Each structure stands twice: as structure tokens, then as C-alpha cells.
Amino acid sequence: MITISDVKKIFQTKNGTVSAVDGVDMTIKDGEIFGVIGYSGAGKSTLIRMLNGLELPTDGSVDVNGQVISKAKGRKLREARQSMGMIFQHFNLLWSRTVLENIQFPLEIAGVPRGERIRKANELLHLVGLEGRGDAYPAQLSGGQKQRVGIARALANDPKVLLCDEATSALDPQTTDSILDLLVDINERLGLTIVLITHEMHVIRKICHRVAVMEAGKVVEEGDVLEVFRNPRQEVTKRFVKEVAQQQESDDILDQYPDGKVLKLTFVGSGTDQPLITSLIRRFDLEVNILQGQISQTQKGAFGTLFIHLKGEREILDQAVAFAEEQSVKVEVMER
């Protein structure tokens, strides 16, 4: 569906050249929800703008659904953009137009007859859960409702790809979750490929199938969301995963429990259902103390981490650790 090949983007500024995107290769599959995450300045916004031709790469190519966007111009570029919808952080609605008129706007530009525009806009109002609000103006809507209008407008031309540029960053957590649920529903109903950029790992965790982590213009890590959560390799990825897990610093935990062993258990998929703690208590003469933990749902299953403290005879401790490692659980003995 989308192929990005050795893409680079260099900006000339009064202070010299800035390499916003530096040699990115990426393939996004048809029908998947693909996330690009990075902190400010990582290059993710520039990258997504190159997907619909708002920015042209300095080098490399961008192919979307068989169209080489990086070389398309004039009518071909306009046609290619009609196959892509885009939603923004700050909604970008027309404040002097009603909700229904905002949704119709892309169809109006495309020359679609008025009756067909109204029919399509009402269908999309129903899809995004805004029935009865067609005559309202953006100023009368909540932030979440405004973003729903933005999503409906982005779907007006029946795009094959939906681009989301920090689409939930301006929303509160509860509203964010409702918008993410809507995006998942749209992906499943319409088979739409969704590419979103964000600096929030919660967004990636909740709806994405795969993720690319960007830092300093480069993709430093990429893979299935569940695998990235289970085994983050780069420091920047570990920071993002930690934000979701909300874990204490391991040093702090070790300071509080100087005796015995502190284990970090990572559960993935069916492993989250295992009665591991119960088995440890029944099998071994140990004191087992649960320190902290959390289980999160991803699109491909559950991911969880649990810190436990084991206290007992050294030989029994070693046997308990070996037993835990035999289960479908990743075991890390925290070192002092």
C-alpha cells in the first residue's frame, strides 16, 4: 500500500541546513493501522506530510497505492490526494460553515452534485456518531465532536488511506479514547489503511498494529506493537514504553527490598492469564510480595509487567526463578 524508500528531507534555514528526515525506509500494509511515534523534532510530522505531497522529499521516493507521490504534479497529484484523507490536531474546520457543510466541502471542490453531497455527508454523520448535529457550527461543539467532524470530512472522498497528524493531542484522555475507538471501527468497517503520528505511547498501544519509532530524523526501531512493548531495544523506545507502564525506577524498588530477589515479569498474550504467583507460592517455601504491575490491551493481545519480591533460602530462590523462566513469561532478575 505505502512504500517509503530512502527518503530524506533537508530544509535550508538562516542557521544552516536541517535534516528533518534522514534515510527512512518503511512499508505500510494495506488495511493496517500504522503508528509513527517520536518526541518533538523527531521528523514524524515532516514524514507524514510527504505521504500526501504537502512536502516533497529532497531525495528518495514515496509510493502510495501505486502512485509515486514524490514525483506527481498538477492533476495527478490532486487525484492522488483524493485517495487520502487527513485529520489534524487542531481540527482545521471552517468556522462559518455548519457541520454538514464542513463535511461536504471536499465533495464540493470535487464537483459532486449537491444532492449527492448531502446524502454522503449525512451517511458520514451517522458513521462518526453525530446524528442530529448537522446544522450546528464548530463553535457549538466539544473538542471530541469537532474531531469527529474532521474525521467525517476526511472520509468524504472515500479515501484508501487516512493520515492522522497528532489527531488526539488536543483532547482529554476520555475523549482521546473515544476517538481512537472510532478510528478502529472505521478501520474494521471500511478496510481503511490508517497512518498516525503521535508522541503518546498510549495511542500506539491502544489501536496500532505496527509502530515505527523516530529519533533525529531516523527510524530507530520498528515492529509489531506487542513485540516492541515486550522487547524495546532503543533507549527512546524504552522511555515511551515506560510512560505507559508507569513503573517505578528499578533502583528505587531494589533499595526498598535489599533481601531476596526482585523479579520483573513480562507477560504477553495468553501469558497474562497464567496463575504464576499462585504456582510459586504453592510449589516453593517462599514469601512472595507483589510490588507493582499493570496489564494493557493492544490490537494483538495483552501486554503486562509485574514486579515481585521473593524471600527465602538461596537454593529455593534459584529453583523458583528457574520455574518462572519455564513458563510463557519473560523473567528478569533485577540486579543491585
Side-chain angles (χ1 to χ4, degrees), residues 15 31 108 151 163 227 229 286 297 310 317:
N15 296 321
E108 186 180 328
I151 293 170
L163 306 176
E227 179 59 31
F229 266 77
L286 292 170
Q297 294 296 323
L310 305 181
L317 286 173

Side-chain angles (χ1 to χ4, degrees), residues 197-215:
I197 65 167
T198 182
H199 63 274
E200 300 172 296
M201 199 62 171
H202 165 72
V203 173
I204 300 294
R205 188 270 300 171
K206 188 172 176 65
I207 72 168
C208 293
H209 302 113
R210 291 193 299 134
V211 60
V213 183
M214 289 192 71
E215 186 176 35

Side-chain angles (χ1 to χ4, degrees), residues 1-2 28-35 64-65 80-87 120 124 127-128 148 150-164 179-196 207-210 299:
M1 167 58 76
I2 299 174
I28 299 171
K29 302 172 186 176
D30 188 18
E32 76 173 338
I33 304 178
F34 190 94
V64 180
N65 198 33
R81 282 175 174 164
Q82 285 187 340
S83 70
M84 291 178 270
M86 191 162 187
I87 57 177
K120 182 68 174 181
L124 291 169
L127 178 66
V128 301
R148 287 173 184 268
I151 293 170
R153 180 186 58 189
L155 298 175
N157 280 319
D158 297 318
K160 295 180 172 62
V161 178
L162 181 62
L163 306 176
C164 307
I179 293 298
L180 295 178
D181 289 339
L182 175 60
L183 290 175
V184 171
D185 183 54
I186 289 169
N187 169 257
E188 293 174 350
R189 284 199 201 188
L190 306 180
L192 203 61
T193 302
I194 299 178
V195 183
L196 62 86
I207 72 168
C208 293
H209 302 113
R210 291 193 299 134
Q299 284 287 79

Side-chain angles (χ1 to χ4, degrees), residues 172-183:
D172 62 75
Q174 185 174 354
T175 306
T176 291
D177 282 347
S178 71
I179 293 298
L180 295 178
D181 289 339
L182 175 60
L183 290 175

Side-chain angles (χ1 to χ4, degrees), residues 46 77 89 109 138 147-148 155 163 165 183 188 190 195 212 222-223 229 242 248 264 281 291 331:
T46 301
L77 180 57
Q89 178 180 358
I109 293 174
Q147 194 57 284
R148 287 173 184 268
L155 298 175
L163 306 176
D165 186 359
L183 290 175
E188 293 174 350
L190 306 180
V195 183
E222 182 180 344
F229 266 77
K242 187 176 179 181
Q248 285 178 253
K264 177 184 177 183
I281 293 171
L291 307 181
V331 180

Side-chain angles (χ1 to χ4, degrees), residues 15-60:
N15 296 321
T17 60
V18 175
S19 182
V21 177
D22 187 7
V24 168
D25 291 291
M26 191 181 294
T27 300
I28 299 171
K29 302 172 186 176
D30 188 18
E32 76 173 338
I33 304 178
F34 190 94
V36 180
I37 190 168
Y39 292 111
S40 296
K44 58 190 186 297
S45 291
T46 301
L47 182 66
I48 201 170
R49 287 169 62 85
M50 285 193 282
L51 293 182
N52 62 2
L54 290 176
E55 295 282 359
L56 294 177
T58 305
D59 200 5

Side-chain angles (χ1 to χ4, degrees), residues 23 27 49 56 60 73-74 118 131 143 149-150 160 162 169 193 228 271 273:
T27 300
R49 287 169 62 85
L56 294 177
K73 296 180 180 178
I118 294 174
E131 302 97 323
V149 176
K160 295 180 172 62
L162 181 62
S169 295
T193 302
V228 170
D273 298 328

